[in-house]
C-alpha cells in the first residue's frame, strides 16, 4: 500500500502526488529496479498518464517535443544507472535549446551510494554541467519541495532541464505529503523587467541607425513574444532574421522577413547581419553557426543585446547596450520608447538599406537544382510536405541536410511549430520528439522530417506511437547516406567518402519496418508520386505513417558558409558567391 488512511504514505506516493500537484498530465519513461517503487502508485494516478517508451533517450526527446507543442514542462522518468545515463543526451539537448524539462531518476539506496552498487551512476554529477539545476534526494520528506522547485526552475527565467534523482529507500520510506505554497530559492530571481534607461538608449540608437537588423532567436519563441516582435518590426520597418531556433517567431510570409541567417542561411539574412550598423539581438546567443568566424562577424555593427540570461550577454560579442529581461517585456518597453522617439519628431530612414537587401533578395532567392534521371530532389519533397500540410502543423526534424532543408523550405507562420535539435544537433531527435509533440497537441498534424541515418537511431519509438495511438507522420528523406557528412566530404575531403554510405536503399526496408511496427508504410521513388504520397499520408490517421522517400544522394545544402570562415565567404552554390564587397 502506497497511501494509508492516516495520511502517511510512501515517498513514491508523495512523488506521484507531487507530479499531480505540479499539473503533470504525461510522463514518458521506462521502469527499473531503483525507480520501481514510484511506478506502483503511478498506476493509480487519475491524472498522470505514463507512456512506456522503448529507450530512455526517446523519453527525453518526447518530453522536449511535448514541451514545445503544449507550452508546459516535459517530464521523463528512468531508473538508476543505464536508465539515467540514457537520458544524458536529451538532457544535454534540452539544455542547449532551453527546453523546459524535468527528469526524474531512481537512485540506488542511500546506504549504497558511492559503493559501485548494481546500476549505480552518479547521474547528478554526470549531468551537473548540462542541467539548469539538479537535486539528489535521500529524505522522503523533501520530495514535494524538490519537485515543486524543479518545475519552477525548469519553466521560469531561461527555461531548461532539471534533474531530480531520488534514492530507492526515500521512495520506499514513509512520509507525509505537503505541497509547498512558497518556494525559497536564494539567489534565483530571474530578472524579467528590463532596465528602462537601457531600453531608452536602445530606442535612440534604433532611430539613428541606417542599417539596423532584428536578429531574433529562440528566446522570442520561449517568451511567447511573437506578437510583440511583429508590432516592433512593423512599427520600425526594420528587417528581421530568424535563427534556426526562431523559425516561425516571425511569419515567413511577412515582407520584412529575410529568412534564416548562419551557415546555411539565406544571402539577404547573412548580409543583413554582416553589413549592418546596428544589430538588435533578441533572445539569441551569437552562436558560432550564425556568426561564423567571430572576429570578422558584422564588423561595423553596434549591438543591442537583450536576453533573460545575463550570462549570454557579451559572451561571444560585446554588447554596446546590454538589456537583461524577458523578450516579451523588453520588446513591449522598446515599442513604448520608440513611440516616444517618433512622437518627439525623430524619424528613421532605412530606404537605402532596404534597396540593398531587396537587391540581394532578387539576386539570391533560395533554390535548388532538379536532378536528372527522374530522381527526386529532397528539397522538393520537404517543400511539398509544408505546402500540402500548411502552417498549423508541427514540423520536427532530425539532424543533417534534411534538417536544414526543413528549416529553409517549409514556410513557418507560427512560433513553436518548428521543432529541432539546434544547439546539440542530436541525430535521432525527430521520431521521439514528434511523438511528444503529438501527445502535447493531439489534434494537430505532426510531421517528423527525418534522415535515413537519424531514423535508424530512434525509430523503435514507432512501437510506442502505434501502441499508444499517437499517429505521427514520418517522412524519411532517404538519400542512402549520412548526407550532411557526405556533403563536407564532397566539399572539403576531395570526395573521399569515408564511412558515410549507409546503403539504406537496400537495408533496412523502411516500408516493411513500418509494417512490423504496426504503422502504415509508403514508398515514393519518383517526383510525380510525391504529392499523391503526401496526400495519402495525410488521409491516414488511424496509425502512424512512415514514408520512404528515395531521393537524390548528391543534393547539397546551399547557401553555405564553411565552418570557421567569415560570413563574407558565403557560397550560394558550388563556386558561386555573391559579390557584395563592392559597396563597402
Ligand atoms: C548522435 C549524432 N551522431 C553523429 C552526428 C554527426 N552527424 C551530423 S549530420 C550526420 C548525418 C545525418 O545523416 P541522415 O540522418 O541520413 O541525414 P541527411 O544529412 O542525409 O539528411 C551525422 C552523422 C550527430 N549530429 N549526432
Amino acid at each position: 500500500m502506497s497511501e494509508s488512511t492516516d495520511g502517511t504514505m510512501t515517498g513514491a506516493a508523495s512523488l506521484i502526488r507531487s507530479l499531480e500537484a505540479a499539473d503533470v498530465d504525461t510522463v514518458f519513461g521506462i521502469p527499473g529496479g531503483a525507480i520501481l517503487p514510484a511506478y506502483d502508485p503511478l498506476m493509480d494516478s487519475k491524472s498522470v498518464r505514463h507512456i512506456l517508451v522503448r529507450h530512455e533517450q526517446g523519453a527525453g526527446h518526447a518530453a522536449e517535443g511535448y514541451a514545445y507543442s503544449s507550452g508546459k514542462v516535459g517530464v521523463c522518468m528512468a531508473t538508476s544507472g543505464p536508465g539515467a545515463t540514457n537520458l544524458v543526451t536529451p538532457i544535454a539537448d534540452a539544455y542547449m535549446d532551453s527546453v523546459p524539462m524535468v527528469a526524474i531518476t531512481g537512485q540506488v539506496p542511500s546506504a549504497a551510494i558511492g559503493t559501485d552498487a548494481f546500476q549505480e551512476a552518479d547521474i547528478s554529477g554526470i549531468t551537473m554541467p548540462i542541467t539548469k539545476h539538479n537535486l539528489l534526494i535521500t529524505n522522503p520528506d523533501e520530495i514535494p519541495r524538490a519537485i515543486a522547485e524543479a518545475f519552477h526552475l525548469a519553466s521560469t527565467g531561461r527555461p531548461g532541464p532539471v534533474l531530480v534523482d531520488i534514492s530507492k529507500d526515500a521512495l520506499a520510506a514513509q512520509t507525509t505529503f505537503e505541497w509547498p505554497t512558497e518556494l525559497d530559492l536564494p539567489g534565483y530571481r530571474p530578472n524579467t523587467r528590463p532596465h528602462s534607461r537601457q531600453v531608452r538608449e536602445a530606442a535612440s540608437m534604433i532611430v539613428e541607425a541606417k542599417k539596423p537588423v532584428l536578429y531574433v532567436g529562440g528566446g522570442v519563441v520561449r517568451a511567447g513574444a511573437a506578437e510583440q516582435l511583429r508590432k516592433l518590426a512593423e512599427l520600425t520597418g526594420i528587417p528581421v532574421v530568424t535563427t534556426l531556433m526562431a523559425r516561425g517567431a516571425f511569419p515567413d510570409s511577412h515582407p520584412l522577413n529575410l529568412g534564416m541567417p548562419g551557415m546555411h542561411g539565406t544571402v539577404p539574412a547573412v548580409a543583413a547581419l554582416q553589413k549592418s550598423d546596428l544589430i538588435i539581438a533578441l533572445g539569441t546567443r551569437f552562436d558560432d553557426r550564425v556568426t561564423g568566424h567571430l572576429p570578422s562577424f558584422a564588423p561595423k555593427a553596434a549591438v543591442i543585446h537583450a536576453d533573460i540570461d545575463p550570462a549570454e550577454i557579451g559572451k561571444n560579442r560585446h554588447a554596446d547596450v546590454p538589456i537583461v529581461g524577458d523578450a516579451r517585456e523588453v520588446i513591449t518597453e522598446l515599442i513604448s520608447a520608440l513611440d516616444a522617439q517618433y512622437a518627439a519628431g525623430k524619424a528613421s530612414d532605412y530606404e537605402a538599406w532596404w534597396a540593398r537587401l531587396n537587391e540581394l533578395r532578387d539576386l539570391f532567392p533560395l533554390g535548388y537544382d532538379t536532378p536528372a534521371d527522374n530522381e527526386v530532389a529532397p528539397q522538393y519533397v520537404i517543400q511539398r510536405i509544408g505546402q500540402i500540410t500548411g502552417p498549423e502543423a508541427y514540423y520536427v526534424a532530425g539532424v543533417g541536410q534534411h534538417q536544414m532543408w526543413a528549416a529553409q523550405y517549409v514556410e513557418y507562420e507560427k512560433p513553436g511549430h518548428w521543432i529541432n535539435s539546434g544547439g546539440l544537433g542530436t541525430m535521432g531527435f525527430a521520431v521521439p520528439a514528434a511523438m511528444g509533440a503529438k501527445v502535447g497537441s493531439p489534434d494537430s498534424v505532426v510531421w517528423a522530417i527525418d534522415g535515413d541515418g537519424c531514423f535508424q537511431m530512434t525509430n523503435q519509438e514507432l512501437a510506442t506511437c502505434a501502441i499508444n495511438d499517437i499517429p505521427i507522420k514520418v517522412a524519411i528523406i532517404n538519400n542512402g547516406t549520412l548526407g550532411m557528412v557526405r556533403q563536407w566530404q564532397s566539399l572539403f575531403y576531395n570526395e573521399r567518402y569515408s564511412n558515410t554510405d549507409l546503403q539504406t536503399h537496400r537495408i533496412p526496408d523502411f516500408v516493411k519496418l513500418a509494417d512490423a511496427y504496426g504503422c502504415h508504410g509508403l514508398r515514393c521513388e519518383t517526383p510525380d508520386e510525391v504529392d499523391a504520397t503526401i496526400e495519402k499520408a495525410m488521409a491516414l490517421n488511424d496509425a502512424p505513417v512512415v514514408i520512404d522517400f528515395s531521393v537524390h544522394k548528391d543534393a547539397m545544402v546551399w547557401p553555405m558558409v564553411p565552418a570557421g570562415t567569415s560570413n563574407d565567404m558565403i557560397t550560394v552554390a558550388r563556386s558561386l558567391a555573391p559579390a557584395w564587397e563592392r559597396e563597402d
Side-chain angles (χ1 to χ4, degrees):
M1 267 284 279
S2 305
E3 281 190 47
S4 317
T5 41
D6 66 357
T8 59
M9 64 182 79
T10 61
S14 169
L15 169 65
I16 303 309
R17 284 277 205 102
S18 302
L19 294 178
E20 289 168 349
D23 197 26
V24 172
D25 55 35
T26 309
V27 174
F28 300 91
I30 301 186
I35 193 73
L36 206 45
Y39 272 79
D40 188 66
L42 180 58
M43 210 175 170
D44 297 328
S45 177
K46 304 248 178 316
S47 52
V48 183
R49 172 191 188 194
H50 180 272
I51 295 178
L52 174 62
V53 298
R54 296 299 179 268
H55 189 297
E56 290 85 354
Q57 183 183 356
H61 293 318
E64 292 184 85
Y66 172 91
Y68 268 93
S69 74
S70 69
K72 294 174 67 175
V73 176
V75 186
C76 53
M77 192 142 97
T79 196
S80 65
T85 56
N86 275 349
L87 283 180
V88 169
T89 298
I91 289 174
D93 195 274
Y95 188 67
M96 291 285 265
D97 287 346
S98 308
V99 183
M101 176 166 117
V102 169
I104 296 160
T105 48
Q107 181 54 276
V108 298
S110 50
I113 291 177
T115 67
D116 296 333
F118 177 63
Q119 291 194 328
E120 180 182 4
D122 174 10
I123 196 63
S124 58
I126 290 168
T127 59
M128 191 76 81
I130 51 166
T131 45
K132 185 170 171 186
H133 189 58
N134 77 37
L135 305 125
L136 168 61
I137 302 297
T138 53
N139 176 351
D141 301 343
E142 290 173 9
I143 290 173
R145 178 165 296 277
I147 295 296
E149 285 178 8
F151 277 83
H152 178 71
L153 288 163
S155 58
T156 54
R158 180 180 184 166
V162 178
L163 174 102
V164 185
D165 192 28
I166 312 174
S167 64
K168 188 171 186 178
D169 54 322
L171 290 171
Q174 290 295 310
T175 183
T176 50
F177 170 75
E178 205 177 317
W179 188 242
T181 46
E182 254 175 51
L183 294 178
D184 177 27
L185 293 163
Y188 182 74
R189 245 166 251 102
N191 186 12
T192 57
R193 284 214 63 160
H195 198 289
S196 58
R197 188 172 49 78
Q198 278 149 340
V199 173
R200 281 199 305 276
E201 204 176 323
S204 68
M205 282 173 90
I206 289 173
V207 289
E208 296 297 332
K210 293 277 169 276
K211 301 175 177 180
V213 57
L214 286 162
Y215 161 33
V216 173
V220 169
V221 179
R222 292 288 178 277
E227 209 33 60
Q228 282 77 6
L229 170 67
R230 191 187 175 118
K231 283 195 192 121
L232 175 66
E234 289 176 354
L235 173 72
T236 57
I238 296 175
V240 178
V241 302
T242 49
T243 67
L244 179 68
M245 293 309 295
R247 304 285 296 114
F250 191 66
D252 274 346
S253 59
H254 200 290
L256 297 173
N257 194 340
L258 296 177
M260 178 171 79
M263 177 176 273
H264 294 296
T266 68
V267 174
V270 171
L273 286 173
Q274 196 63 6
K275 304 299 171 193
S276 155
D277 66 357
L278 178 64
I279 292 176
I280 305 139
L282 301 170
T284 190
R285 57 190 178 89
F286 292 86
D287 176 64
D288 58 276
R289 284 302 191 255
V290 167
T291 64
H293 177 243
L294 197 53
S296 58
F297 172 67
K300 293 180 183 157
V303 170
I304 298 165
H305 191 174
D307 204 286
I308 187 88
D309 182 356
E312 283 301 345
I313 295 176
K315 184 181 83 178
N316 292 333
R317 170 75 181 235
H318 172 73
D320 300 278
V321 180
I323 304 176
V324 177
D326 172 83
R328 190 155 48 160
E329 296 193 32
V330 171
I331 300 173
T332 306
E333 301 228 349
L334 200 49
I335 290 172
S336 317
L338 282 161
D339 279 338
Q341 290 276 343
Y342 298 139
K346 289 266 169 56
S348 343
D349 176 12
Y350 311 139
E351 208 173 309
W353 180 224
W354 267 113
R356 180 73 187 115
L357 295 172
N358 280 332
E359 196 188 340
L360 289 172
R361 248 185 192 169
D362 293 344
L363 283 170
F364 303 106
L366 270 180
Y368 55 88
D369 292 332
T370 304
D373 302 333
N374 211 30
E375 280 193 288
V376 182
Q379 301 94 327
Y380 176 70
V381 173
I382 292 167
Q383 192 167 39
R384 291 303 295 151
I385 289 174
Q387 286 167 345
I388 291 171
T389 314
E392 298 297 323
Y394 288 87
Y395 298 91
V396 189
V399 169
Q401 291 182 309
H402 63 282
Q403 172 193 24
M404 292 299 118
W405 290 319
Q408 293 175 333
Y409 290 102
V410 174
E411 294 227 339
Y412 298 99
E413 298 290 311
K414 304 183 83 173
H417 283 241
W418 159 242
I419 302 175
N420 86 135
S421 166
L424 197 64
T426 309
M427 286 176 72
F429 178 82
V431 170
M435 170 171 80
K438 182 76 182 166
V439 173
S441 185
D443 297 331
S444 304
V445 175
V446 179
W447 274 102
I449 296 175
D450 214 359
D452 46 315
C454 292
F455 181 76
Q456 290 185 79
M457 292 199 178
T458 50
N459 66 63
Q460 68 275 28
E461 299 310 338
L462 285 174
T464 315
C465 289
I467 288 168
N468 292 283
D469 190 20
I470 307 168
I472 60 168
K473 305 185 192 303
V474 183
I476 305 171
I477 309 300
N478 184 357
N479 53 10
T481 137
L482 295 168
M484 185 57 99
V485 182
R486 182 183 162 89
Q487 171 162 346
W488 287 45
Q489 290 172 332
S490 298
L491 296 172
F492 313 120
Y493 292 88
N494 286 325
E495 302 183 0
R496 282 165 52 82
Y497 298 118
S498 172
N499 292 283
T500 42
D501 184 2
L502 291 170
Q503 303 203 34
T504 336
H505 292 309
R506 287 195 310 122
I507 295 174
D509 182 325
F510 289 130
V511 174
K512 282 191 191 156
L513 189 68
D515 187 44
Y517 275 131
C519 304
H520 298 287
L522 307 174
R523 200 183 305 281
C524 175
E525 288 170 325
T526 59
D528 57 2
E529 293 168 343
V530 169
D531 277 20
T533 313
I534 297 168
E535 276 153 14
K536 186 160 184 200
M538 288 296 289
L540 291 167
N541 292 309
D542 59 338
V545 188
V546 177
I547 313 177
D548 181 358
F549 285 103
S550 266
V551 300
H552 181 53
K553 79 169 188 289
D554 288 319
M556 290 209 205
V557 184
W558 299 113
M560 180 169 187
V561 179
T565 67
S566 164
N567 279 343
D568 290 322
M569 302 301 286
I570 191 167
T571 310
V572 185
R574 217 166 180 160
S575 342
L576 183 62
W580 63 23
E581 286 310 309
R582 60 195 154 91
E583 65 152 17
D584 292 325

